[in-house]
Amino acid sequence: MKKHPYSATVLINAHHDMSWLEKTLWSYSCQTYKDFEIIIANSFSLSPEIENLILQFKKESDIALKQIVASKKLLASQVLNAAIVNSQSNYIIMVEGYCVAKSDFVEQHMALRKEGYFLSGGTFKLPKNISAEITKEDILTHNCFDKKWLRTKGLKRFFKTQKLTARGIQAKILNKVVPTNATWNVHNSSGWKKDLLAINGVDERMVNGDQGREMGERLINNGIKSKQIRYSATCLKLSPINSKVTQDAFDLNMKIRIETKKNNKTKTEFGIK
């Protein structure tokens, strides 16, 4: 018998456009891997729109779904920590509410997970007009991940479309040669729940944008290694995003990250506990 009700938790950090969140949700209704739950970490606050969206999703999908809502007592970063604590699996895949997942997205994260590691996936950013044109049918039929379909919508040819097409050995090679470091990014990363709890989760002083990056730095300080899978597990990043980090917020985030690096911190005093 399984110790946990689900093998994985897809934790969706939702704080942007509601229509983008809807597209994100439908991409998880057609995953090849089925044994997971969804938790929406809702920074919108409770609204009829999101309630209707969740009800509609539950009517048309067998995927377990619940939300944790921001309030005056529960701020955005605290919602992420509450979602981690309330997850009913031992493995957490963290994504943003404006990223549409490929149908094998959860399967890839689960196949490539490894004790002592966290995984860093990739995104393929779409322009505003194509993001708006993507329909539920395009997601369920997987058209929106097809290069030819995207080019009919005006997408220009460039190297990064390999994120949409790479498979098997090619994906493994590209993951190894990619020049960027494997970091924990809220839009597409995964790791073991016990490892996130050990470092006390997200630093709740952080403003949207860098919570995951700083948390990943503490994971590494605590002996957890990072693994690049950006060509194996890819999301479409919809644009535009209706929220911007102010300069003050950016400066605060960087100050906290500098402290984490300088002091080799493994835990935050401003986290889950």
Side-chain angles (χ1 to χ4, degrees), residues 151-196:
R151 283 171 184 156
T152 65
K153 303 297 181 181
L155 184 72
K156 297 179 179 179
R157 293 173 178 266
F158 62 104
F159 173 78
K160 287 186 179 180
T161 54
Q162 285 186 304
K163 286 184 181 179
L164 304 179
T165 60
R167 296 286 188 278
I169 297 298
Q170 182 189 22
K172 289 181 180 179
I173 292 171
L174 289 170
N175 288 333
K176 288 184 177 181
V177 301
V178 65
T180 56
N181 293 326
T183 55
W184 187 292
N185 301 299
V186 177
H187 57 246
N188 184 353
S189 295
S190 67
W192 300 93
K193 180 177 178 176
K194 62 181 176 62
D195 294 338
L196 303 185

Side-chain angles (χ1 to χ4, degrees), residues 23-62:
K23 295 179 184 187
T24 297
L25 272 180
W26 287 120
S27 70
Y28 290 99
S29 70
C30 55
Q31 291 292 305
T32 54
Y33 188 96
K34 304 295 185 183
D35 188 20
F36 68 95
E37 64 171 342
I38 298 174
I39 299 180
I40 298 175
N42 174 8
S43 298
F44 287 116
S45 77
L46 196 62
S47 68
E49 290 79 13
I50 196 168
E51 285 293 298
N52 290 335
L53 172 59
I54 289 172
L55 286 173
Q56 187 64 30
F57 183 86
K58 286 182 175 180
K59 286 180 181 179
E60 300 184 28
S61 173
D62 294 329

Side-chain angles (χ1 to χ4, degrees), residues 226-268:
S226 61
K227 184 178 179 181
Q228 188 76 264
I229 63 163
R230 64 166 52 194
Y231 284 92
S232 299
T234 302
C235 291
L236 292 176
K237 185 177 181 180
L238 305 178
S239 127
I241 300 168
N242 296 330
S243 126
K244 294 182 179 180
V245 177
T246 65
Q247 187 62 45
D248 287 344
F250 176 83
D251 292 341
L252 172 61
N253 287 351
M254 288 306 300
K255 180 182 178 181
I256 295 169
R257 288 183 62 192
I258 290 169
E259 288 176 357
T260 295
K261 184 176 181 180
K262 179 181 178 181
N263 299 320
N264 200 35
K265 291 180 66 174
T266 59
K267 287 188 177 181
T268 174

Side-chain angles (χ1 to χ4, degrees), residues 89-100:
S89 77
N90 64 1
Y91 199 77
I92 294 174
I93 303 169
M94 194 175 289
V95 299
E96 290 276 19
Y98 53 82
C99 292
V100 175

